[in-house]
Amino acid sequence: MSPFIVSGSVDIRVGDSFASDAGRDAIGRAISRLRPRQLQEKGGRIVFRGGVLRLVSGLNLLAPVTDGEVALVMRGPNLRISYTLTLHELVFAVLLLSTALGLALALTGGPWWIAGVLAVWLFGLNVLILRFRFPRFLRRAVLSEALKPPHSP
């Protein structure tokens, strides 16, 4: 698998009465609050575009994500959420930044190898944070919907 793709799955016990459509709607609303460039549902999956080149805070969960896809499947009382996130814009931005820094350091006689360390640090840290935060984000979105009291007439 490519190092520029983060994928995984989250299993949540939601009960037999929970519909995957409710989970999909909850995740769609949660992703929408992160202001993606594009958000749509295709064949029961949520597809979105995030990206480094958006006017959002660097703390925005979708900042390092170029494209993403989320799929939900009910398995008895459990909901399985599978996701795939691509990080191509992050790779491009980190390479551009580290190349510029490396050239500037090399031209001034400085330690140019620091640019490589910076590239590995920036990319690796973003991937680690995303691997931790995105599954939690999905879990919280679904559980907020699953724990709502039933609508009364």
Side-chain angles (χ1 to χ4, degrees), residues 22-74:
R24 191 172 10 267
D25 292 345
I27 290 172
R29 285 191 304 274
I31 291 174
S32 177
R33 286 191 292 273
L34 296 175
R35 298 189 342 215
R37 277 190 255 171
Q38 182 180 8
L39 174 65
Q40 57 187 332
E41 189 174 327
K42 286 185 178 178
R45 297 171 294 132
I46 299 168
V47 180
F48 58 91
R49 291 186 60 85
V52 173
L53 306 174
R54 293 179 307 132
L55 295 176
V56 294
S57 161
L59 297 175
N60 185 297
L61 185 58
L62 300 184
V65 178
T66 304
D67 298 297
E69 182 176 304
V70 179
L72 293 86
V73 177
M74 285 299 298

Side-chain angles (χ1 to χ4, degrees), residues 26-129:
I27 290 172
R29 285 191 304 274
I31 291 174
S32 177
R33 286 191 292 273
L34 296 175
R35 298 189 342 215
R37 277 190 255 171
Q38 182 180 8
L39 174 65
Q40 57 187 332
E41 189 174 327
K42 286 185 178 178
R45 297 171 294 132
I46 299 168
V47 180
F48 58 91
R49 291 186 60 85
V52 173
L53 306 174
R54 293 179 307 132
L55 295 176
V56 294
S57 161
L59 297 175
N60 185 297
L61 185 58
L62 300 184
V65 178
T66 304
D67 298 297
E69 182 176 304
V70 179
L72 293 86
V73 177
M74 285 299 298
R75 293 190 172 158
N78 296 323
L79 177 66
R80 168 158 283 189
I81 308 168
S82 301
Y83 62 91
T84 303
L85 310 170
T86 62
L87 310 176
H88 297 114
E89 284 182 15
L90 176 65
V91 171
F92 178 75
V94 166
L95 286 177
L96 187 65
L97 177 68
S98 61
T99 300
L101 178 63
L103 285 173
L105 288 170
L107 291 174
T108 59
W112 57 267
W113 54 268
I114 289 177
V117 172
L118 175 70
V120 170
W121 173 259
L122 284 175
F123 183 76
L125 196 57
N126 272 283
V127 169
L128 286 174
I129 290 169

